[in-house]
């Protein structure tokens, strides 16, 4: 598995896929930089007058609802529809799922469009299952990844999506597949938007790898390993943000293979 | 005083309050990272469809008008009303007060809603007093903190707000209280949005400390001391931005106490 | 020439012109920081209710269409009209020219307003000539700077603009002038928005230098030399972003003169 994931990472750097991001204001700069560092080419665009045209020229789409509003939500929905029409992969990052009824309403509409991949933390995954009226237990804002597995499985079944629950352990669930990754560092939670970067990099791999379970696994492995190495050399979250971008750019096969921790 | 302020800083790290930011596009990433580094949890949201719900789940609100427009202004006003209704503290950062008549018009509406705390530079504070038809002298774009004290006192009286004039010296004014802080470094003016970060961190302290004068003082002391230490190790403004985030995260009691400069 | 450019760089630091940016969400923070580091003072504002007032108080305007939409496009057009009315220089950065028909439509409207300076990469310059129905060959997304010279010359003639084609070699074209600059480093393409920063810094020089060909040359020389020096000390794109801001702030005459590479 390690070798397959590393090959995917190399493949990304050689492919430079164009990734269309409809994402939140907080993370746009870091998301663009993370995509560039990992080897993809980012586009950020949201105007209703060009959203379908942008989906058409890109190879994958990220829909991240962090700072959604009425206008942007319509763009997200139209973009996801266009991606489906063209058979292009699109990734849903349901930031703040469960926080407000408006957010849940938009999430419900996006889920109906069957995201290729969903990446979120445990609480958000549990909120998604609830929004979709799937028979799951309630949302727990302090939930750990393994507490959300039941909800993630329901989502995988209902929407045919690959689901990634990110956290101290990242759990990736496909139709009949499951992978746990145990990389990362607690300091990563002190930098805003690393989850958003992970979603964007997931889109980059999904753009070039047919198997979306493997694409998601490669993205989460790359982010986890680079974040872990970067954190070791960081005095705080400011340094970590910089070191992570550097490491996404210059990680070697040896670093990747020796640090990767695949769980049960 | 030093010890009380340090206790508040520790208290923030242990409390992790949820802070709702309606702020400008330029600083969103750094504001979120500054809040995380200091120990709070940031939310950025502005949609009219969820703005009251977001105020409801957060413990304090920041209204920063830096890149305001007609839609966002309405969100800011609705959020401030909701915060008042729920008795939650909210901080006004009137970026660019006095620059345009539209900006002044929105500021006047926000001031009517009696911000818990106002944090701004000397020129902006003087512009605020003028906007409110308070009997103060004209706006001076190069004003120093002590030149704005008269205007700040009028604002404190008129709106029952704690007022912080930030600059080379930070001056915090409560109903019958006044504190001067003389930390910081000239290089901080070469990094965009450190004032905006200070406002957000003020909201974080206001969320957990009953006495808003002390809350504001703790925020300005933390930013000033961390900025001063960070600047000493910085070759320029790029380094300073990184080092400041690291220092907000890893500052020790000894560093804080030995660097803090409380004025007359 | 080296000495004139360095004098302009010193002049900028002493003048601190106020630069109005209507730019994209991705780069706002870095653009503001680059302007501050180089010695200018940035304002970001886009509200239709204040856009003309902001143009009035600033010394130059940047219009960058990276994340344009219907509302922002109107603000851009109104701001450019106001700048023309007041005789203030404005810079067009046509990010993504040619990508969608909507983007081309807005670009056509902006070109009609005769930007003082246009700064873009080779593909965008070729797309601009095509949008304007100038008799040029088709757009090539991998075009190098010298392949876009014909298109740039046509733009210079048609709109009386100074045109800068940025890339591995930066080429600046005036009415009867041409300058090639060969600084920079390939790593710069891995950091988002350095072109956008270059456009903003071009506006800063245009605000204080009568000769817009020299103003553009000074901006591109400063960015190219600082980027090249910064890249040498950078382990990856994260470090480069930081080191570039530091170098824009602390570059010395000796560093500038010894690194500057002026072409044929």
């Amino acid at each position: 598995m390690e070798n397959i994931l590393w090959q995917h990472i190399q493949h990304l750097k050689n492919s430079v896929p164009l990734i269309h991001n409809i994402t939140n204001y907080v993370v746009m700069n870091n998301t663009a930089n993370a995509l560039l560092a990992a080897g993809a080419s980012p586009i950020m665009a949201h105007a209703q007058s060009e959203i379908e045209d942008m989906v058409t020229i890109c190879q994958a789409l990220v829909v991240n609802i962090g700072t959604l509003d009425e206008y942007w939500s319509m763009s997200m929905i139209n973009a996801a529809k266009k991606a489906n029409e063209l058979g292009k992969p699109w990734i849903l990052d349901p930031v703040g799922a469960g926080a407000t009824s408006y957010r849940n309403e938009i999430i419900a509409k996006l889920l109906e469009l069957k995201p290729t991949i969903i990446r979120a933390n445990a609480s958000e995954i549990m909120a998604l299952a609830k929004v979709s009226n799937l028979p799951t237990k309630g949302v727990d804002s302090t939930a750990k990844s393994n507490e959300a597995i039941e909800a993630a499985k329901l989502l995988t079944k209902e929407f045919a999506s690959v689901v990634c629950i990110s956290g101290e352990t990242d759990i990736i669930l496909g139709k009949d597949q499951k992978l746990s990754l145990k990389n990362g560092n607690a300091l990563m939670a002190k930098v805003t938007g690393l989850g958003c970067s992970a979603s964007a990099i997931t889109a980059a791999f999904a753009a070039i790898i047919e198997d979306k379970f493997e694409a998601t696994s490669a993205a989460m492995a790359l982010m986890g390993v680079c974040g872990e190495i970067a954190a070791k050399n960081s005095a705080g979250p400011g340094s970590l943000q910089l070191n992570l971008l550097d490491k996404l750019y210059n990680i070697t096969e040896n670093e990747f293979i020796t640090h990767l921790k695949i769980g049960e």
Side-chain angles (χ1 to χ4, degrees), chain A residues 12-239:
Chain A
L12 177 57
K13 287 190 195 286
N14 297 327
S15 310
V16 197
L18 204 55
I19 308 303
H20 181 187
N21 299 270
I22 310 179
T23 189
N24 71 72
Y25 301 123
V26 186
V27 305
M28 281 194 194
N29 186 268
N30 282 306
T31 299
N33 278 328
L35 283 170
L36 283 167
S41 188
I43 283 185
M44 270 69 180
H46 66 285
Q48 287 172 15
S49 299
E50 67 172 4
I51 200 80
E52 281 96 352
D53 287 351
M54 278 299 182
V55 174
T56 304
I57 64 171
C58 290
Q59 290 158 262
L61 168 70
V62 180
V63 173
N64 174 312
I65 66 164
T67 54
L68 89 175
D69 61 23
E70 300 78 12
Y71 180 97
W72 282 68
S73 297
M74 187 57 67
S75 297
M76 292 172 187
I77 290 165
N78 290 344
K81 282 183 183 166
K82 187 71 182 179
N84 285 347
E85 188 189 315
L86 299 174
K88 297 190 180 188
W90 71 279
I91 282 69
L92 175 63
D93 188 334
V95 178
T100 70
S101 56
Y102 173 63
R103 214 161 268 256
N104 289 347
E105 179 195 314
I106 300 303
I107 287 170
K109 289 182 185 170
L110 288 166
L111 284 173
E112 281 171 26
L113 299 172
K114 298 181 185 294
T116 316
I117 304 168
I118 300 167
R119 196 218 55 81
N121 65 34
S123 308
E124 290 162 344
I125 292 292
M126 291 164 85
L128 254 59
K130 191 150 175 276
V131 162
S132 313
N133 294 313
L134 300 177
T136 180
K137 58 186 169 183
V139 176
D140 174 358
S141 68
T142 61
K144 301 220 156 140
S145 297
N146 62 353
E147 299 176 71
I149 289 180
E150 179 207 354
K153 279 185 181 165
L154 291 168
L155 292 167
T156 296
K157 201 168 168 184
E158 183 78 9
F159 302 112
S161 308
V162 170
V163 176
C164 171
I165 314 162
S166 63
E168 205 179 307
T169 300
D170 297 322
I171 301 173
I172 299 119
L173 290 159
K175 205 186 166 195
D176 305 301
Q177 298 150 294
K178 179 167 174 280
L179 184 75
S180 295
L181 296 169
K182 294 177 176 296
N183 287 102
N185 182 295
L187 188 59
M188 292 174 78
K190 292 290 182 181
V191 179
T192 196
L194 295 194
C196 304
S197 290
S199 293
I201 289 179
T202 300
F205 282 103
I208 58 158
I209 298 170
E210 195 51 39
D211 182 327
K212 305 313 178 197
F213 177 81
E214 275 189 18
T216 308
S217 301
M220 299 311 295
L222 179 63
M223 278 295 291
V225 168
C226 289
E228 185 173 314
I229 298 173
K232 277 182 198 157
N233 302 306
S234 298
S239 307

